Amino acid sequence: MRVRILRVLRCLAVWGVALAAVGGGTVPVAAADGGPEADLAYHGTASMAFGVVDVRFTPRNHGPSAVPDATVRLRWSEPLAFRQVLPDGCARSGLRVVLCRVGALAADGLGDRVELGVRLRGAPSEVLLEVDTVWSGGVVDRNRANDRQRVLVLDTGDEYYF
């Protein structure tokens, strides 16, 4: 029972961060004027087999400033199954979206690797995965080309790099 309560509290905390990132008064990455500047990037792999998509990526901040906290959005072109088992720091945010807290990123530093698997509804033969930053703690990222990734993942079990 205690483990279940801790999971619920952890989920509520992640949802609070997600809601704050999406519309709770924080400064969006693209809308900020002035302030510290950083260059976030996400690179990794995605594979799919039998309707389950495995995603692994490492966030990187090319600098020049540190990022106090960041949240990344993973969006699929197909709806997710209703029940998902997501890692700590990740929360579902709609039919096709999962938000994951990346955390603080030092200037010119790597973040912790993010690994998750999601089950899609049905068993599509392909899915388009889009990865982008939705919150960066008020730090401006003027180079949005490397923190917005799109990868077509076929249901072959092969790894696709982004």
Side-chain angles (χ1 to χ4, degrees):
M1 181 70 167
R2 182 176 179 193
V3 171
R4 185 177 171 95
I5 291 171
L6 289 173
R7 285 185 183 157
V8 169
L9 291 174
R10 198 173 317 149
C11 183
L12 290 173
V14 170
W15 273 106
V17 169
L19 289 173
V22 173
T26 61
V27 180
V29 172
D33 291 326
E37 189 171 333
D39 184 15
L40 299 176
Y42 307 103
H43 296 291
T45 64
S47 64
M48 180 169 61
F50 307 106
V52 176
V53 183
D54 288 313
V55 180
R56 296 175 179 89
F57 65 92
T58 303
R60 180 176 181 108
N61 176 8
H62 293 284
S65 299
V67 175
D69 201 3
T71 302
V72 66
R73 174 177 41 211
L74 301 132
R75 184 177 10 210
W76 287 267
S77 60
E78 297 291 329
L80 301 173
F82 292 110
R83 299 193 83 188
Q84 300 289 331
V85 177
L86 298 172
D88 289 343
C90 293
R92 192 164 174 172
S93 176
L95 291 174
R96 301 168 193 245
V97 176
V98 171
L99 299 173
C100 291
R101 181 176 182 263
V102 172
L105 295 168
D108 200 25
L110 293 173
D112 292 332
R113 184 174 170 142
V114 177
E115 298 183 12
L116 69 145
V118 297
R119 179 168 294 285
L120 302 174
R121 254 188 251 169
S125 61
E126 65 182 36
V127 66
L128 179 65
L129 168 63
E130 298 179 29
V131 180
D132 67 324
T133 303
V134 292
W135 188 62
S136 63
V139 176
V140 178
D141 186 347
R142 298 195 195 287
N143 178 14
R144 297 301 309 270
N146 57 359
D147 74 314
R148 291 180 178 168
Q149 301 286 346
R150 294 178 63 168
V151 59
L152 180 64
V153 184
L154 304 179
D155 190 8
T156 61
D158 295 328
E159 287 188 329
Y160 295 90
Y161 293 84
F162 59 92

